[in-house]
mmCIF file of all heavy atoms in Angstrom:
data_model
loop_
_atom_site.group_PDB
_atom_site.id
_atom_site.type_symbol
_atom_site.label_atom_id
_atom_site.label_comp_id
_atom_site.label_asym_id
_atom_site.label_seq_id
_atom_site.Cartn_x
_atom_site.Cartn_y
_atom_site.Cartn_z
ATOM 1 N N ASN A 145 2.780 -2.132 15.675
ATOM 2 C CA ASN A 145 3.800 -2.943 16.088
ATOM 3 C C ASN A 145 3.489 -4.367 16.109
ATOM 4 O O ASN A 145 4.185 -5.330 16.119
ATOM 5 C CB ASN A 145 4.497 -2.585 17.262
ATOM 6 C CG ASN A 145 5.903 -3.185 17.502
ATOM 7 O OD1 ASN A 145 6.719 -3.116 16.585
ATOM 8 N ND2 ASN A 145 6.180 -3.636 18.694
ATOM 9 N N ALA A 146 2.119 -4.713 16.327
ATOM 10 C CA ALA A 146 1.624 -6.088 16.475
ATOM 11 C C ALA A 146 0.430 -6.281 15.385
ATOM 12 O O ALA A 146 0.183 -5.373 14.645
ATOM 13 C CB ALA A 146 1.139 -6.340 17.909
ATOM 14 N N ALA A 147 -0.302 -7.295 15.486
ATOM 15 C CA ALA A 147 -1.275 -7.696 14.615
ATOM 16 C C ALA A 147 -2.425 -6.568 14.530
ATOM 17 O O ALA A 147 -2.833 -5.987 15.537
ATOM 18 C CB ALA A 147 -2.041 -8.962 14.862
ATOM 19 N N VAL A 148 -2.804 -6.076 13.389
ATOM 20 C CA VAL A 148 -3.772 -5.068 13.137
ATOM 21 C C VAL A 148 -4.842 -5.489 12.174
ATOM 22 O O VAL A 148 -4.486 -5.973 11.065
ATOM 23 C CB VAL A 148 -2.973 -3.672 12.890
ATOM 24 C CG1 VAL A 148 -2.303 -3.751 11.567
ATOM 25 C CG2 VAL A 148 -4.046 -2.574 12.824
ATOM 26 N N VAL A 149 -6.082 -5.028 12.408
ATOM 27 C CA VAL A 149 -7.216 -5.190 11.506
ATOM 28 C C VAL A 149 -7.854 -3.856 11.256
ATOM 29 O O VAL A 149 -8.164 -3.079 12.249
ATOM 30 C CB VAL A 149 -8.224 -6.131 12.040
ATOM 31 C CG1 VAL A 149 -9.434 -6.296 11.076
ATOM 32 C CG2 VAL A 149 -7.666 -7.585 12.354
ATOM 33 N N VAL A 150 -7.866 -3.489 9.991
ATOM 34 C CA VAL A 150 -8.405 -2.117 9.649
ATOM 35 C C VAL A 150 -9.557 -2.296 8.654
ATOM 36 O O VAL A 150 -9.406 -3.002 7.546
ATOM 37 C CB VAL A 150 -7.293 -1.209 8.960
ATOM 38 C CG1 VAL A 150 -7.910 0.149 8.726
ATOM 39 C CG2 VAL A 150 -6.039 -1.104 9.964
ATOM 40 N N SER A 151 -10.698 -1.617 8.940
ATOM 41 C CA SER A 151 -11.776 -1.800 8.155
ATOM 42 C C SER A 151 -12.585 -0.446 7.916
ATOM 43 O O SER A 151 -12.793 0.218 8.843
ATOM 44 C CB SER A 151 -12.779 -2.887 8.686
ATOM 45 O OG SER A 151 -14.018 -3.002 7.902
ATOM 46 N N GLY A 152 -12.846 -0.043 6.688
ATOM 47 C CA GLY A 152 -13.579 1.075 6.386
ATOM 48 C C GLY A 152 -13.003 2.385 6.694
ATOM 49 O O GLY A 152 -13.655 3.439 7.077
ATOM 50 N N THR A 153 -11.529 2.506 6.715
ATOM 51 C CA THR A 153 -10.855 3.623 7.130
ATOM 52 C C THR A 153 -10.107 4.212 6.055
ATOM 53 O O THR A 153 -9.736 3.729 5.026
ATOM 54 C CB THR A 153 -9.862 3.104 8.224
ATOM 55 O OG1 THR A 153 -10.513 2.520 9.362
ATOM 56 C CG2 THR A 153 -9.054 4.340 8.827
ATOM 57 N N GLN A 154 -9.957 5.558 6.141
ATOM 58 C CA GLN A 154 -9.248 6.254 5.087
ATOM 59 C C GLN A 154 -7.881 6.799 5.629
ATOM 60 O O GLN A 154 -7.804 7.318 6.765
ATOM 61 C CB GLN A 154 -10.071 7.527 4.657
ATOM 62 C CG GLN A 154 -11.305 7.194 3.828
ATOM 63 C CD GLN A 154 -11.986 8.426 3.289
ATOM 64 O OE1 GLN A 154 -12.241 9.301 4.193
ATOM 65 N NE2 GLN A 154 -12.308 8.411 1.949
ATOM 66 N N PHE A 155 -6.826 6.726 4.792
ATOM 67 C CA PHE A 155 -5.592 7.313 5.052
ATOM 68 C C PHE A 155 -5.373 8.340 4.014
ATOM 69 O O PHE A 155 -5.029 7.880 2.925
ATOM 70 C CB PHE A 155 -4.387 6.248 5.092
ATOM 71 C CG PHE A 155 -4.624 5.294 6.294
ATOM 72 C CD1 PHE A 155 -5.440 4.289 6.278
ATOM 73 C CD2 PHE A 155 -3.687 5.413 7.415
ATOM 74 C CE1 PHE A 155 -5.566 3.406 7.265
ATOM 75 C CE2 PHE A 155 -3.793 4.487 8.420
ATOM 76 C CZ PHE A 155 -4.653 3.478 8.392
ATOM 77 N N ILE A 156 -5.319 9.658 4.417
ATOM 78 C CA ILE A 156 -5.284 10.716 3.389
ATOM 79 C C ILE A 156 -4.109 11.695 3.591
ATOM 80 O O ILE A 156 -4.089 12.352 4.804
ATOM 81 C CB ILE A 156 -6.567 11.479 3.395
ATOM 82 C CG1 ILE A 156 -7.760 10.459 3.030
ATOM 83 C CG2 ILE A 156 -6.570 12.454 2.203
ATOM 84 C CD1 ILE A 156 -9.136 11.096 3.139
ATOM 85 N N GLY A 157 -3.169 11.920 2.628
ATOM 86 C CA GLY A 157 -2.226 12.880 2.748
ATOM 87 C C GLY A 157 -1.323 12.852 3.991
ATOM 88 O O GLY A 157 -0.815 13.885 4.415
ATOM 89 N N ASN A 158 -1.031 11.705 4.491
ATOM 90 C CA ASN A 158 -0.027 11.646 5.531
ATOM 91 C C ASN A 158 1.329 11.652 4.941
ATOM 92 O O ASN A 158 1.539 11.103 3.859
ATOM 93 C CB ASN A 158 -0.315 10.270 6.275
ATOM 94 C CG ASN A 158 -1.582 10.199 7.024
ATOM 95 O OD1 ASN A 158 -1.813 10.938 7.904
ATOM 96 N ND2 ASN A 158 -2.467 9.464 6.323
ATOM 97 N N ARG A 159 2.369 12.130 5.676
ATOM 98 C CA ARG A 159 3.698 12.347 5.081
ATOM 99 C C ARG A 159 4.744 11.779 5.997
ATOM 100 O O ARG A 159 4.889 12.184 7.170
ATOM 101 C CB ARG A 159 3.887 13.863 4.985
ATOM 102 C CG ARG A 159 5.258 14.169 4.274
ATOM 103 C CD ARG A 159 5.391 15.642 3.798
ATOM 104 N NE ARG A 159 5.243 16.560 4.856
ATOM 105 C CZ ARG A 159 6.339 16.873 5.702
ATOM 106 N NH1 ARG A 159 7.516 16.645 5.269
ATOM 107 N NH2 ARG A 159 6.134 17.860 6.541
ATOM 108 N N ASN A 160 5.507 10.813 5.480
ATOM 109 C CA ASN A 160 6.640 10.234 6.219
ATOM 110 C C ASN A 160 7.975 10.973 5.656
ATOM 111 O O ASN A 160 8.226 10.793 4.551
ATOM 112 C CB ASN A 160 6.713 8.763 5.967
ATOM 113 C CG ASN A 160 7.928 8.080 6.589
ATOM 114 O OD1 ASN A 160 8.841 8.715 6.805
ATOM 115 N ND2 ASN A 160 7.755 6.773 6.896
ATOM 116 N N ALA A 161 8.483 11.733 6.499
ATOM 117 C CA ALA A 161 9.708 12.542 6.145
ATOM 118 C C ALA A 161 10.869 11.982 6.567
ATOM 119 O O ALA A 161 11.896 12.610 6.894
ATOM 120 C CB ALA A 161 9.497 13.977 6.641
ATOM 121 N N GLY A 162 11.043 10.639 6.669
ATOM 122 C CA GLY A 162 12.323 9.990 7.133
ATOM 123 C C GLY A 162 13.362 10.318 6.140
ATOM 124 O O GLY A 162 13.164 10.450 4.916
ATOM 125 N N LEU A 163 14.614 10.359 6.702
ATOM 126 C CA LEU A 163 15.755 10.753 5.861
ATOM 127 C C LEU A 163 16.823 9.613 5.980
ATOM 128 O O LEU A 163 17.992 10.043 5.592
ATOM 129 C CB LEU A 163 16.433 12.080 6.422
ATOM 130 C CG LEU A 163 15.430 13.326 6.340
ATOM 131 C CD1 LEU A 163 15.996 14.408 7.005
ATOM 132 C CD2 LEU A 163 15.134 13.702 4.858
ATOM 133 N N ALA A 164 16.545 8.446 6.209
ATOM 134 C CA ALA A 164 17.377 7.285 6.148
ATOM 135 C C ALA A 164 16.517 6.169 5.675
ATOM 136 O O ALA A 164 15.426 6.037 6.048
ATOM 137 C CB ALA A 164 18.021 6.987 7.448
ATOM 138 N N PHE A 165 17.171 5.258 4.854
ATOM 139 C CA PHE A 165 16.465 4.215 4.068
ATOM 140 C C PHE A 165 16.113 3.028 4.909
ATOM 141 O O PHE A 165 15.036 2.407 4.893
ATOM 142 C CB PHE A 165 17.176 3.732 2.968
ATOM 143 C CG PHE A 165 16.647 2.682 2.099
ATOM 144 C CD1 PHE A 165 15.349 2.859 1.563
ATOM 145 C CD2 PHE A 165 17.123 1.433 2.059
ATOM 146 C CE1 PHE A 165 14.696 1.841 0.908
ATOM 147 C CE2 PHE A 165 16.434 0.431 1.434
ATOM 148 C CZ PHE A 165 15.230 0.544 0.770
ATOM 149 N N SER A 166 16.982 2.654 5.869
ATOM 150 C CA SER A 166 16.863 1.309 6.687
ATOM 151 C C SER A 166 15.505 1.375 7.424
ATOM 152 O O SER A 166 15.408 2.278 8.283
ATOM 153 C CB SER A 166 18.067 1.065 7.658
ATOM 154 O OG SER A 166 17.838 -0.047 8.345
ATOM 155 N N ASN A 167 14.609 0.460 7.170
ATOM 156 C CA ASN A 167 13.476 0.239 7.896
ATOM 157 C C ASN A 167 12.583 1.519 7.819
ATOM 158 O O ASN A 167 11.679 1.739 8.751
ATOM 159 C CB ASN A 167 13.615 -0.165 9.293
ATOM 160 C CG ASN A 167 14.266 -1.566 9.390
ATOM 161 O OD1 ASN A 167 13.858 -2.356 8.682
ATOM 162 N ND2 ASN A 167 15.311 -1.606 10.359
ATOM 163 N N SER A 168 12.614 2.328 6.850
ATOM 164 C CA SER A 168 11.875 3.584 6.711
ATOM 165 C C SER A 168 10.837 3.353 5.636
ATOM 166 O O SER A 168 10.988 2.840 4.507
ATOM 167 C CB SER A 168 12.652 4.733 6.298
ATOM 168 O OG SER A 168 12.115 5.991 6.562
ATOM 169 N N GLY A 169 9.494 3.765 6.025
ATOM 170 C CA GLY A 169 8.471 3.629 4.996
ATOM 171 C C GLY A 169 7.158 3.719 5.696
ATOM 172 O O GLY A 169 6.986 3.849 6.905
#
Side-chain angles (χ1 to χ4, degrees):
N145 197 47
V148 60
V149 176
V150 183
S151 177
T153 303
Q154 293 182 311
F155 293 79
I156 304 173
N158 300 285
R159 182 169 63 92
N160 181 331
L163 297 172
F165 177 66
S166 178
N167 295 319
S168 194

